[in-house]
Amino acid sequence: MPKEIILPIIAADFESGTIESWSKKEGDAVAKGEVLLSVETDKAIIEIEAEHSGVLGKIMVAAGTEDVLVNAVIGLLLQEGESASDLDGLPNSVETQAGSTASELSPVLKEPQSISSQVAVSAGQNGAASGRIFASPLARRIAADLGVDLNGLTGRGPRGRILKADVELADSNGLVAVGDKSIFAASTVEPESGRTYSAIPHSNMRKTIARRLTESKRDVPHFYLSTDFQLDALLAVRRDFNARSPEGEEAYKLSVNDFIVKACAVAMRDVPEVNSSWTEEAIHQHHNVDISVAVATEGGLITPIVQDADSKGLVAISSQIKDLAARAREGKLKPAEFQGGGFTISNLGMYGTSNFSAIINPPQSCILAVGAGEQRAVVKDGELIIGTVMTCTLSSDHRSVNGDVAARFMQALKRYIEDPFYMVARQLL
């Protein structure tokens, strides 16, 4: 019997995703551990590896299909001794499985339910003759919430299936679907004022960010500490290090942010209480120093993680941040590269922002908001001089981090940033 390929649980809160692409074609040999397909979640494109070896006999969910539920059967794998004839009588695609139950088709599904509820059968262009409309379950749910009538909508999914984006576009009134893209049509007019606006439907990523930040601000008792850091010594060390960069593949260009990540990492070793997560049962104090770095992407903010930052050199940190940021913007991070972490850094200094307060990224206890380095008047040894000063604000969860702990962390951070010798030499001393 051909082996069923199911959509696995990628993350704890993962319920459905889009089949971004298949790495194999029907008839191709598949080795266990090989990348079989890529799935788009609300935050990244995840590569799924084959759990078994064999031959890809049938792709049942085509690339580009949205809202595919966890544990749905997405393909069939021929095992040793089996051939294409063993597929005879089996469904050719998810759409043709309507009316069969998941327990009949897939004994590994955790919750038996009809496959027709995964690929909802309701209206569309191709279902007009049978009086049915083809729509995804998420599209139907959103349509019910928004009061959108699915009749008459033309879907952009396989065989004209209505996707959630089609429903959102229909509801917005200011958007129309063209092929597989969405473009702005005439602006919507506000009835009372006569002013116009364009409605931009929320992406899954934007919805997830909104939900998590709302929960954080509402449920986490934030408190804030701001400290000024003089950057002149750090900038001098940075210039010297960059001037010594070799040519070719080993070339590097360190940023101020690279130094901040390293300084935070060693300060977290000095004050380990900030490297913690709050749970209702206990405070989890992490043994590894893993720092999340906020990266702005087209879909919203994502926080890839520099693991074991305290044990890495500046060049390694710099290289890893560049790689993580590039793949974050392409949506190609693996879950382990953006889920977890014990501390977050959000740097808006490059935009000229002097200072700001960031919202904690639960279940972490702290996030550091980094402002721009600015020329300011500084008193040193009784003399008034011009120095480069940066303001950072630490947001802390008062349930797991006390005020004196946060203050000690900022004190340690100030020492490492204002005298980088201690930061660089800490691993050697």
Side-chain angles (χ1 to χ4, degrees):
M1 183 71 179
K3 197 84 175 175
E4 292 167 339
I5 303 167
I6 65 169
L7 181 63
I9 299 173
I10 295 171
D13 58 351
F14 177 69
E15 296 178 353
S16 66
T18 298
I19 306 299
E20 197 266 339
S21 65
W22 284 87
S23 302
K24 299 286 186 178
K25 303 188 299 295
E26 291 181 357
D28 284 354
V30 177
K32 182 179 178 179
E34 261 191 308
V35 174
L36 185 57
L37 71 154
S38 297
V39 176
E40 183 178 358
T41 70
D42 58 357
K43 290 211 172 172
I45 295 175
I46 311 299
E47 293 183 337
I48 306 297
E49 297 178 352
E51 295 184 358
H52 307 276
S53 297
V55 173
L56 183 56
K58 181 66 66 177
I59 292 175
M60 300 172 70
V61 181
T65 304
E66 295 185 356
D67 309 324
V68 181
L69 296 183
V70 162
N71 290 324
V73 181
I74 58 176
L76 296 172
L77 190 70
L78 295 172
Q79 301 176 83
E80 188 176 356
E82 293 179 334
S83 64
S85 62
D86 291 293
L87 299 170
D88 293 344
L90 295 177
N92 291 322
S93 65
V94 172
E95 282 83 1
T96 63
Q97 296 180 32
S100 302
T101 62
S103 56
E104 292 170 350
L105 293 168
S106 178
V108 297
L109 294 191
K110 293 185 177 177
E111 296 181 11
Q113 56 181 328
S114 68
I115 296 295
S116 58
S117 70
Q118 295 178 19
V119 186
V121 215
S122 319
Q125 227 175 348
N126 297 326
S130 61
R132 298 184 304 175
I133 300 172
F134 290 101
S136 72
L138 184 57
R140 291 198 304 165
R141 190 161 64 246
I142 293 174
D145 292 341
L146 298 175
V148 173
D149 185 1
L150 294 178
N151 289 293
L153 284 187
T154 301
R156 291 170 293 155
R159 299 176 58 191
R161 189 167 66 113
I162 298 170
L163 309 177
K164 68 180 180 66
D166 301 314
V167 177
E168 291 168 338
L169 293 178
D171 179 67
S172 71
N173 295 321
L175 292 170
V176 294
V178 178
D180 60 350
K181 300 291 183 182
S182 298
I183 62 169
F184 287 102
S187 297
T188 303
V189 179
E190 179 66 43
E192 295 180 2
S193 65
R195 312 298 287 176
T196 61
Y197 67 91
S198 295
I200 305 171
H202 302 307
S203 65
N204 282 343
M205 185 175 182
R206 181 66 65 184
K207 288 177 183 176
T208 301
I209 292 170
R211 174 177 55 80
R212 286 177 56 82
L213 292 182
T214 299
E215 290 171 354
S216 175
K217 195 65 174 174
R218 181 190 64 217
D219 300 336
V220 177
H222 288 57
F223 74 94
Y224 309 94
L225 295 180
S226 295
T227 303
D228 290 338
F229 301 85
Q230 195 166 340
L231 291 179
D232 298 280
L234 185 151
L235 294 175
V237 170
R238 174 176 171 256
R239 281 193 300 269
D240 187 36
F241 280 10
N242 284 341
R244 296 169 184 264
S245 172
E247 299 290 333
E249 293 183 0
E250 296 182 358
Y252 60 81
K253 185 176 181 181
L254 301 177
S255 69
V256 171
N257 199 57
D258 300 330
F259 281 85
I260 294 171
V261 171
K262 181 64 178 180
C264 282
V266 293
M268 288 166 69
R269 279 293 180 206
D270 292 346
V271 189
E273 297 94 329
V274 303
N275 188 18
S276 62
S277 299
W278 170 265
T279 74
E280 294 302 325
E281 294 76 31
I283 295 172
H284 295 180
Q285 193 168 118
H286 306 295
H287 297 166
N288 301 92
V289 178
D290 299 334
I291 296 182
S292 305
V293 180
V295 174
T297 71
E298 202 171 292
L301 202 65
I302 191 168
T303 51
I305 301 166
V306 179
Q307 294 184 337
D308 300 312
D310 59 321
S311 62
K312 286 185 168 74
L314 285 161
V315 173
I317 288 173
S318 180
S319 175
Q320 189 171 0
I321 291 175
K322 288 182 177 70
D323 172 62
L324 288 168
R327 289 191 292 115
R329 295 187 179 101
E330 295 171 358
K332 293 185 177 179
L333 291 177
K334 298 176 182 177
E337 293 176 317
F338 63 84
Q339 293 177 355
F343 187 95
T344 296
I345 296 173
S346 180
N347 191 339
L348 294 179
M350 66 284 293
Y351 299 106
T353 300
S354 297
N355 63 82
F356 67 103
S357 300
I359 300 174
I360 293 169
N361 183 19
Q364 295 177 10
S365 294
C366 297
I367 181 170
L368 186 73
V370 180
E374 302 173 320
Q375 296 244 304
R376 302 182 198 171
V378 177
V379 177
K380 187 175 183 179
D381 300 328
E383 298 285 332
L384 189 65
I385 62 171
I386 299 297
T388 305
V389 179
M390 171 184 72
T391 300
C392 292
T393 299
L394 182 72
S395 305
S396 301
D397 182 344
H398 217 321
R399 298 172 300 179
S400 49
V401 174
N402 295 333
D404 66 308
V405 170
R408 284 192 287 112
F409 171 79
M410 293 298 273
Q411 186 179 50
L413 184 62
K414 186 178 179 71
R415 180 193 187 204
Y416 292 124
I417 286 179
E418 295 195 342
D419 193 344
F421 166 80
Y422 293 105
M423 180 198 328
V424 176
R426 190 185 191 283
Q427 291 171 254
L428 305 176
L429 297 177

